[in-house]
Amino acid sequence: MHGNTDLDYTILKAIVEGDSKSFEILFRKYYQELCNYSMGILGDAEKAEDVVQDAFVYLWENRQRINITISLKSYLYQSVRNGALKIIRTQVLEQRHMPRLTEFIEYLEKSEFSEDELVKLQKIEQAIDELPSQCKSVFLMSFMDKKSYKQIAEELEISLNTVKTHVSKAYRIIREKTQNFKNLSLFIWLYFRKNCKTRQ
């Protein structure tokens, strides 16, 4: 429970002991700002509220088992972010062009990254830097320059299948070197978004 204010510490202690009134106080204190945060990520008010409500329900139902080592506010924000990421990840799998992902990246860039997120970005950057030369070129042209497979094939004078093979190979290598951690696609896009802005 390190990092909590005296009030949050008191509220959390009471919640752990099953005090529903203290839980209601916590809910009222953070609900709206967490909804705003979730809305910023998802762009959907209904889904945003669902994520926040799920975070509070999980806290209450698991109150005696959860070991919160950060501030209560930070814990709630992390829970909401993780819930929103699950929805985004589903959209990534369902939508080929991922329009919501770009908006999410722009929002996430304005928020502070956790140490774990920064480590993941560094691992992805290293993995991409270590890709075989042509494989790396194709991967960067596809994701950073947003060129179609056909454009890449024509520019590099290679076959369309070779382009597809290089992209698949790049993903495989990156997954292997990052131990297949969760939200890989999100962090790859975040890496490219960050580097595209740097090049502008």
Side-chain angles (χ1 to χ4, degrees):
M1 298 184 188
H2 300 298
N4 286 293
T5 64
D6 291 340
L7 178 59
D8 280 355
Y9 179 85
T10 302
I11 291 175
L12 181 56
K13 188 173 183 294
I15 290 173
V16 171
E17 295 172 354
D19 185 350
S20 59
K21 289 185 178 180
S22 292
F23 179 76
E24 184 179 347
I25 291 172
L26 179 70
F27 185 86
R28 291 180 182 276
K29 182 179 181 182
Y30 290 119
Y31 180 75
Q32 191 55 55
E33 66 179 90
L34 287 170
C35 283
N36 293 340
Y37 174 69
S38 183
M39 178 66 179
I41 297 175
L42 295 170
D44 184 307
E46 186 175 345
K47 288 181 180 178
E49 288 192 35
D50 286 343
V51 168
V52 175
Q53 289 167 9
D54 287 346
F56 276 106
V57 169
Y58 182 85
L59 173 62
W60 177 254
E61 292 182 344
N62 296 275
R63 60 189 180 278
Q64 293 181 325
R65 295 191 296 272
I66 294 176
N67 179 30
I68 299 178
T69 58
I70 55 179
S71 72
L72 185 52
K73 182 177 181 178
S74 294
Y75 167 80
L76 289 170
Y77 268 80
Q78 282 189 9
S79 295
V80 169
R81 176 182 282 195
N82 289 339
L85 281 173
K86 287 182 180 178
I87 292 176
I88 292 290
R89 188 162 60 250
T90 299
Q91 292 176 341
V92 169
L93 294 173
E94 292 176 348
Q95 300 175 15
R96 183 175 180 182
H97 300 293
M98 301 177 277
R100 288 296 311 152
L101 183 58
T102 301
E103 293 178 33
F104 163 72
I105 296 303
E106 291 174 346
Y107 176 85
L108 190 58
E109 285 182 319
K110 298 175 184 176
S111 65
E112 293 184 2
F113 297 109
S114 67
E115 290 184 12
D116 180 59
E117 288 170 337
L118 289 172
V119 168
K120 288 178 178 178
L121 281 173
Q122 290 171 357
K123 285 186 177 180
I124 284 178
E125 185 170 8
Q126 182 179 352
I128 291 174
D129 285 343
E130 294 175 354
L131 288 172
S133 180
Q134 191 171 51
C135 181
K136 179 180 177 181
S137 295
V138 170
F139 196 61
L140 292 177
M141 290 171 73
S142 175
F143 286 89
M144 186 174 286
D145 299 329
K146 298 180 180 179
K147 293 184 178 181
S148 68
Y149 286 0
K150 183 179 179 181
Q151 288 175 315
I152 297 170
E154 291 174 351
E155 190 170 328
L156 297 181
E157 297 182 345
I158 56 179
S159 71
L160 197 60
N161 283 336
T162 299
V163 173
K164 293 178 182 178
T165 299
H166 279 311
V167 172
S168 297
K169 182 180 180 181
Y171 261 115
R172 177 176 55 78
I173 292 173
I174 293 170
R175 279 197 298 268
E176 290 172 353
K177 292 191 175 183
T178 55
Q179 291 83 48
N180 244 347
F181 56 65
K182 294 180 180 179
N183 306 323
L184 178 61
S185 295
L186 295 176
F187 283 101
I188 288 176
W189 273 91
L190 182 55
Y191 163 80
F192 282 117
R193 189 73 182 180
K194 173 174 171 286
N195 280 276
C196 279
K197 286 192 173 184
T198 300
R199 297 200 312 172
Q200 290 175 356

